[in-house]
Amino acid sequence: MLESNAEVHKVLAGDQEAFSELYNETIHSIYRMLYFLTDSKEDLDDIVQDVYVELYRSLPRFDPSRSLRAWLYGIAIRQHQSYRRKKWRQARKDNKEKQLQAAPVELDFSGAVIERLSADDAVREIEGLSYKLKQVVILRYLNDLSQEEIAEIAGIPLGTVKSRLNLALRKLRTTIRRNVE
């Protein structure tokens, strides 16, 4: 569907069945990508829902000469970045309130604990990477996107994608080697 021009045009024309098909075809990969990028798994469903709401809203602005797949991943990344900004602003607000009050405020972080997916060392190490490095690794190796597509999705130069991938892989190799020894 993502590569079929006729199907893309049906979605753009507002065909609900075609949009439903697009959703069913892409939800697994979008959910999986956001699962690895999101610290708080409780917010994951909301982020995924926001991705598809934004997709539906922005369909009139889609350029059919471009890749729908890359465009959808771009929306997902932007929605996730928006989520992170909201969380950051909320954390700053909470911190300021805490500083203004005489008594310390206890925050409940029990729901924000990062879940470990498996015993696989590589997965644990990827989760330990910085957001920017984790983002390119997940897009490249989990979603099998090209470096050019990643650059377009993340809105960064191709050279930056390459350097982030290189740095991430070097860090992963070093950490895994250290754990093996």
Short mmCIF file of all heavy atoms in Angstrom, two decimals, residues 78-120:
data_model
loop_
_atom_site.label_atom_id
_atom_site.label_comp_id
_atom_site.label_asym_id
_atom_site.label_seq_id
_atom_site.Cartn_x
_atom_site.Cartn_y
_atom_site.Cartn_z
N ARG A 78 8.31 13.60 14.84
CA ARG A 78 7.91 14.93 15.31
C ARG A 78 6.92 14.84 16.47
O ARG A 78 7.01 15.62 17.42
CB ARG A 78 7.34 15.76 14.16
CG ARG A 78 8.43 16.23 13.19
CD ARG A 78 7.90 17.20 12.16
NE ARG A 78 6.90 16.61 11.28
CZ ARG A 78 7.16 15.86 10.22
NH1 ARG A 78 8.40 15.60 9.90
NH2 ARG A 78 6.18 15.38 9.47
N GLN A 79 6.00 13.90 16.43
CA GLN A 79 5.05 13.73 17.54
C GLN A 79 5.80 13.29 18.80
O GLN A 79 5.48 13.74 19.90
CB GLN A 79 3.96 12.72 17.17
CG GLN A 79 2.95 13.23 16.19
CD GLN A 79 2.19 14.44 16.69
OE1 GLN A 79 1.79 14.52 17.83
NE2 GLN A 79 2.02 15.41 15.80
N HIS A 80 6.78 12.43 18.63
CA HIS A 80 7.56 11.99 19.78
C HIS A 80 8.38 13.14 20.35
O HIS A 80 8.49 13.30 21.56
CB HIS A 80 8.47 10.81 19.42
CG HIS A 80 9.13 10.22 20.62
ND1 HIS A 80 10.39 10.55 20.99
CD2 HIS A 80 8.65 9.35 21.56
CE1 HIS A 80 10.69 9.91 22.11
NE2 HIS A 80 9.65 9.18 22.47
N GLN A 81 8.96 13.96 19.47
CA GLN A 81 9.72 15.12 19.95
C GLN A 81 8.80 16.10 20.68
O GLN A 81 9.18 16.68 21.71
CB GLN A 81 10.43 15.80 18.79
CG GLN A 81 11.58 14.98 18.26
CD GLN A 81 12.13 15.49 16.93
OE1 GLN A 81 11.46 16.20 16.20
NE2 GLN A 81 13.36 15.11 16.63
N SER A 82 7.59 16.26 20.18
CA SER A 82 6.60 17.12 20.85
C SER A 82 6.29 16.56 22.24
O SER A 82 6.21 17.31 23.22
CB SER A 82 5.34 17.20 20.00
OG SER A 82 4.33 17.88 20.68
N TYR A 83 6.11 15.26 22.33
CA TYR A 83 5.86 14.60 23.61
C TYR A 83 7.02 14.85 24.57
O TYR A 83 6.81 15.18 25.74
CB TYR A 83 5.66 13.10 23.37
CG TYR A 83 6.01 12.23 24.54
CD1 TYR A 83 5.13 12.08 25.61
CD2 TYR A 83 7.22 11.54 24.58
CE1 TYR A 83 5.46 11.29 26.69
CE2 TYR A 83 7.55 10.75 25.65
CZ TYR A 83 6.66 10.62 26.71
OH TYR A 83 7.00 9.84 27.77
N ARG A 84 8.24 14.73 24.07
CA ARG A 84 9.42 14.94 24.93
C ARG A 84 9.50 16.39 25.41
O ARG A 84 9.85 16.65 26.56
CB ARG A 84 10.70 14.58 24.18
CG ARG A 84 10.84 13.08 23.96
CD ARG A 84 12.14 12.71 23.26
NE ARG A 84 13.23 12.86 24.20
CZ ARG A 84 14.37 13.48 23.92
NH1 ARG A 84 14.58 13.99 22.73
NH2 ARG A 84 15.33 13.56 24.82
N ARG A 85 9.16 17.34 24.52
CA ARG A 85 9.14 18.75 24.93
C ARG A 85 8.11 18.99 26.03
O ARG A 85 8.37 19.70 27.00
CB ARG A 85 8.85 19.67 23.74
CG ARG A 85 10.05 19.93 22.86
CD ARG A 85 9.78 21.04 21.86
NE ARG A 85 8.68 20.75 20.97
CZ ARG A 85 8.77 20.05 19.85
NH1 ARG A 85 9.93 19.57 19.47
NH2 ARG A 85 7.71 19.83 19.10
N LYS A 86 6.92 18.40 25.88
CA LYS A 86 5.88 18.55 26.90
C LYS A 86 6.36 17.98 28.23
O LYS A 86 6.15 18.58 29.28
CB LYS A 86 4.59 17.83 26.47
CG LYS A 86 3.83 18.53 25.38
CD LYS A 86 2.61 17.70 24.98
CE LYS A 86 2.04 18.17 23.68
NZ LYS A 86 0.99 17.27 23.18
N LYS A 87 6.98 16.81 28.18
CA LYS A 87 7.49 16.19 29.41
C LYS A 87 8.57 17.06 30.04
O LYS A 87 8.61 17.23 31.26
CB LYS A 87 8.07 14.80 29.10
CG LYS A 87 7.03 13.75 28.90
CD LYS A 87 6.36 13.44 30.20
CE LYS A 87 5.67 12.11 30.15
NZ LYS A 87 4.93 11.84 31.36
N TRP A 88 9.44 17.62 29.22
CA TRP A 88 10.52 18.47 29.71
C TRP A 88 9.95 19.73 30.36
O TRP A 88 10.37 20.12 31.44
CB TRP A 88 11.46 18.82 28.55
CG TRP A 88 12.60 19.69 28.96
CD1 TRP A 88 13.74 19.31 29.60
CD2 TRP A 88 12.71 21.10 28.74
NE1 TRP A 88 14.55 20.40 29.80
CE2 TRP A 88 13.93 21.51 29.28
CE3 TRP A 88 11.89 22.04 28.15
CZ2 TRP A 88 14.36 22.83 29.25
CZ3 TRP A 88 12.32 23.36 28.11
CH2 TRP A 88 13.53 23.73 28.66
N ARG A 89 8.97 20.35 29.68
CA ARG A 89 8.35 21.57 30.25
C ARG A 89 7.67 21.23 31.58
O ARG A 89 7.76 22.01 32.53
CB ARG A 89 7.35 22.17 29.26
CG ARG A 89 8.01 22.98 28.17
CD ARG A 89 6.99 23.80 27.39
NE ARG A 89 6.05 22.98 26.65
CZ ARG A 89 6.15 22.69 25.36
NH1 ARG A 89 7.15 23.16 24.67
NH2 ARG A 89 5.25 21.94 24.78
N GLN A 90 6.98 20.10 31.61
CA GLN A 90 6.32 19.71 32.85
C GLN A 90 7.34 19.45 33.95
O GLN A 90 7.13 19.85 35.10
CB GLN A 90 5.46 18.46 32.63
CG GLN A 90 4.63 18.07 33.83
CD GLN A 90 3.62 19.13 34.24
OE1 GLN A 90 2.92 19.69 33.42
NE2 GLN A 90 3.55 19.42 35.53
N ALA A 91 8.44 18.82 33.61
CA ALA A 91 9.49 18.56 34.61
C ALA A 91 10.07 19.88 35.12
O ALA A 91 10.33 20.02 36.33
CB ALA A 91 10.58 17.68 34.01
N ARG A 92 10.28 20.84 34.24
CA ARG A 92 10.79 22.16 34.66
C ARG A 92 9.80 22.85 35.58
O ARG A 92 10.17 23.44 36.60
CB ARG A 92 11.07 23.05 33.45
CG ARG A 92 12.37 22.68 32.75
CD ARG A 92 12.72 23.68 31.70
NE ARG A 92 13.01 24.97 32.30
CZ ARG A 92 12.92 26.12 31.66
NH1 ARG A 92 12.53 26.16 30.42
NH2 ARG A 92 13.21 27.25 32.26
N LYS A 93 8.52 22.79 35.20
CA LYS A 93 7.48 23.41 36.02
C LYS A 93 7.44 22.76 37.39
O LYS A 93 7.39 23.46 38.42
CB LYS A 93 6.13 23.27 35.33
CG LYS A 93 4.99 23.88 36.08
CD LYS A 93 3.68 23.66 35.34
CE LYS A 93 2.51 24.08 36.20
NZ LYS A 93 1.24 23.62 35.66
N ASP A 94 7.48 21.44 37.42
CA ASP A 94 7.48 20.72 38.69
C ASP A 94 8.69 21.08 39.53
O ASP A 94 8.59 21.26 40.75
CB ASP A 94 7.43 19.21 38.46
CG ASP A 94 6.12 18.73 37.88
OD1 ASP A 94 5.13 19.51 37.90
OD2 ASP A 94 6.07 17.58 37.39
N ASN A 95 9.84 21.21 38.88
CA ASN A 95 11.07 21.55 39.59
C ASN A 95 10.98 22.95 40.18
O ASN A 95 11.40 23.18 41.33
CB ASN A 95 12.26 21.41 38.66
CG ASN A 95 13.57 21.43 39.40
OD1 ASN A 95 13.63 21.10 40.57
ND2 ASN A 95 14.62 21.81 38.70
N LYS A 96 10.44 23.90 39.43
CA LYS A 96 10.30 25.27 39.93
C LYS A 96 9.34 25.30 41.12
O LYS A 96 9.59 25.98 42.11
CB LYS A 96 9.79 26.20 38.84
CG LYS A 96 10.86 26.60 37.86
CD LYS A 96 10.33 27.56 36.83
CE LYS A 96 11.41 27.90 35.82
NZ LYS A 96 10.94 28.87 34.84
N GLU A 97 8.23 24.58 41.01
CA GLU A 97 7.28 24.53 42.12
C GLU A 97 7.94 23.92 43.35
O GLU A 97 7.73 24.38 44.48
CB GLU A 97 6.05 23.72 41.73
CG GLU A 97 5.14 24.42 40.75
CD GLU A 97 3.97 23.56 40.29
OE1 GLU A 97 3.78 22.45 40.84
OE2 GLU A 97 3.26 24.01 39.39
N LYS A 98 8.74 22.94 43.13
CA LYS A 98 9.43 22.26 44.23
C LYS A 98 10.39 23.23 44.92
O LYS A 98 10.49 23.25 46.15
CB LYS A 98 10.18 21.05 43.70
CG LYS A 98 10.87 20.23 44.75
CD LYS A 98 11.54 19.02 44.13
CE LYS A 98 12.26 18.21 45.18
NZ LYS A 98 12.91 17.03 44.59
N GLN A 99 11.09 24.03 44.13
CA GLN A 99 12.04 24.98 44.70
C GLN A 99 11.34 26.10 45.47
O GLN A 99 11.88 26.62 46.44
CB GLN A 99 12.91 25.57 43.60
CG GLN A 99 13.88 24.59 43.01
CD GLN A 99 14.63 25.15 41.81
OE1 GLN A 99 14.33 26.24 41.34
NE2 GLN A 99 15.59 24.39 41.30
N LEU A 100 10.13 26.46 45.03
CA LEU A 100 9.41 27.55 45.68
C LEU A 100 8.79 27.14 47.01
O LEU A 100 8.57 27.97 47.88
CB LEU A 100 8.32 28.10 44.74
CG LEU A 100 8.82 28.82 43.49
CD1 LEU A 100 7.66 29.19 42.60
CD2 LEU A 100 9.62 30.06 43.87
N GLN A 101 8.50 25.91 47.14
CA GLN A 101 7.88 25.43 48.37
C GLN A 101 8.95 25.11 49.42
O GLN A 101 10.03 24.64 49.10
CB GLN A 101 7.04 24.18 48.10
CG GLN A 101 5.87 24.45 47.19
CD GLN A 101 5.11 23.19 46.86
OE1 GLN A 101 5.52 22.10 47.20
NE2 GLN A 101 3.99 23.35 46.16
N ALA A 102 8.61 25.37 50.66
CA ALA A 102 9.56 25.10 51.74
C ALA A 102 9.73 23.61 51.95
O ALA A 102 10.85 23.12 52.15
CB ALA A 102 9.10 25.77 53.02
N ALA A 103 8.63 22.89 51.92
CA ALA A 103 8.70 21.45 52.12
C ALA A 103 9.02 20.78 50.79
O ALA A 103 8.48 21.16 49.75
CB ALA A 103 7.37 20.93 52.65
N PRO A 104 9.87 19.79 50.80
CA PRO A 104 10.19 19.11 49.54
C PRO A 104 8.98 18.35 49.00
O PRO A 104 8.20 17.79 49.75
CB PRO A 104 11.31 18.13 49.90
CG PRO A 104 11.24 17.98 51.38
CD PRO A 104 10.60 19.22 51.92
N VAL A 105 8.84 18.40 47.69
CA VAL A 105 7.75 17.70 47.02
C VAL A 105 8.27 16.38 46.50
O VAL A 105 9.30 16.32 45.84
CB VAL A 105 7.21 18.54 45.83
CG1 VAL A 105 6.15 17.77 45.07
CG2 VAL A 105 6.68 19.86 46.32
N GLU A 106 7.58 15.30 46.83
CA GLU A 106 7.99 13.99 46.33
C GLU A 106 7.26 13.71 45.03
O GLU A 106 6.04 13.84 44.97
CB GLU A 106 7.68 12.91 47.36
CG GLU A 106 8.58 12.99 48.57
CD GLU A 106 8.42 11.79 49.45
OE1 GLU A 106 8.17 10.68 48.93
OE2 GLU A 106 8.55 11.96 50.67
N LEU A 107 8.01 13.34 44.03
CA LEU A 107 7.42 13.00 42.74
C LEU A 107 7.36 11.48 42.61
O LEU A 107 8.29 10.79 43.01
CB LEU A 107 8.24 13.59 41.60
CG LEU A 107 8.34 15.11 41.59
CD1 LEU A 107 9.30 15.55 40.49
CD2 LEU A 107 6.99 15.74 41.40
N ASP A 108 6.31 10.99 42.04
CA ASP A 108 6.16 9.55 41.85
C ASP A 108 6.66 9.17 40.47
O ASP A 108 6.03 9.48 39.47
CB ASP A 108 4.68 9.15 41.99
CG ASP A 108 4.48 7.68 41.75
OD1 ASP A 108 5.47 6.91 41.82
OD2 ASP A 108 3.33 7.28 41.51
N PHE A 109 7.83 8.56 40.43
CA PHE A 109 8.41 8.16 39.15
C PHE A 109 8.20 6.67 38.89
O PHE A 109 8.79 6.11 38.00
CB PHE A 109 9.91 8.46 39.12
CG PHE A 109 10.20 9.92 39.01
CD1 PHE A 109 10.70 10.63 40.08
CD2 PHE A 109 9.96 10.59 37.82
CE1 PHE A 109 10.97 11.97 39.97
CE2 PHE A 109 10.22 11.93 37.72
CZ PHE A 109 10.73 12.63 38.79
N SER A 110 7.37 6.02 39.67
CA SER A 110 7.21 4.57 39.51
C SER A 110 6.71 4.21 38.13
O SER A 110 7.06 3.17 37.59
CB SER A 110 6.26 4.03 40.58
OG SER A 110 4.99 4.62 40.44
N GLY A 111 5.87 5.03 37.53
CA GLY A 111 5.34 4.73 36.20
C GLY A 111 6.32 5.04 35.09
O GLY A 111 6.11 4.64 33.96
N ALA A 112 7.40 5.77 35.39
CA ALA A 112 8.33 6.17 34.34
C ALA A 112 9.56 5.29 34.27
O ALA A 112 10.49 5.58 33.55
CB ALA A 112 8.75 7.63 34.56
N VAL A 113 9.56 4.20 35.03
CA VAL A 113 10.72 3.30 35.02
C VAL A 113 10.80 2.63 33.64
O VAL A 113 9.81 2.11 33.13
CB VAL A 113 10.61 2.24 36.13
CG1 VAL A 113 11.74 1.25 36.05
CG2 VAL A 113 10.58 2.92 37.48
N ILE A 114 11.99 2.66 33.06
CA ILE A 114 12.16 2.06 31.74
C ILE A 114 12.10 0.55 31.84
O ILE A 114 12.80 -0.07 32.64
CB ILE A 114 13.51 2.48 31.12
CG1 ILE A 114 13.53 3.99 30.94
CG2 ILE A 114 13.75 1.78 29.81
CD1 ILE A 114 14.85 4.52 30.48
N GLU A 115 11.20 -0.03 31.05
CA GLU A 115 11.07 -1.48 31.05
C GLU A 115 12.23 -2.09 30.25
O GLU A 115 12.64 -1.55 29.23
CB GLU A 115 9.77 -1.88 30.37
CG GLU A 115 8.54 -1.44 31.10
CD GLU A 115 7.29 -1.77 30.32
OE1 GLU A 115 7.36 -2.56 29.39
OE2 GLU A 115 6.27 -1.21 30.64
N ARG A 116 12.71 -3.20 30.71
CA ARG A 116 13.72 -3.94 29.96
C ARG A 116 13.00 -4.97 29.11
O ARG A 116 12.15 -5.70 29.60
CB ARG A 116 14.70 -4.64 30.89
CG ARG A 116 15.54 -3.67 31.67
CD ARG A 116 16.36 -2.85 30.76
NE ARG A 116 17.11 -1.88 31.52
CZ ARG A 116 17.81 -0.93 30.97
NH1 ARG A 116 17.85 -0.81 29.67
NH2 ARG A 116 18.47 -0.09 31.71
N LEU A 117 13.31 -4.99 27.83
CA LEU A 117 12.58 -5.83 26.90
C LEU A 117 12.98 -7.30 27.00
O LEU A 117 12.15 -8.18 26.86
CB LEU A 117 12.82 -5.36 25.47
CG LEU A 117 12.35 -3.95 25.18
CD1 LEU A 117 12.71 -3.56 23.77
CD2 LEU A 117 10.86 -3.86 25.40
N SER A 118 14.26 -7.55 27.19
CA SER A 118 14.72 -8.92 27.25
C SER A 118 16.09 -8.94 27.89
O SER A 118 16.62 -7.91 28.26
CB SER A 118 14.79 -9.52 25.84
OG SER A 118 15.85 -8.92 25.13
N ALA A 119 16.67 -10.10 27.95
CA ALA A 119 18.00 -10.22 28.53
C ALA A 119 19.08 -9.91 27.50
O ALA A 119 20.25 -9.92 27.81
CB ALA A 119 18.19 -11.63 29.08
N ASP A 120 18.69 -9.60 26.31
CA ASP A 120 19.64 -9.34 25.24
C ASP A 120 20.46 -8.09 25.55
O ASP A 120 19.92 -7.01 25.74
CB ASP A 120 18.88 -9.18 23.93
CG ASP A 120 19.79 -8.99 22.75
OD1 ASP A 120 21.00 -9.26 22.85
OD2 ASP A 120 19.29 -8.56 21.71
#
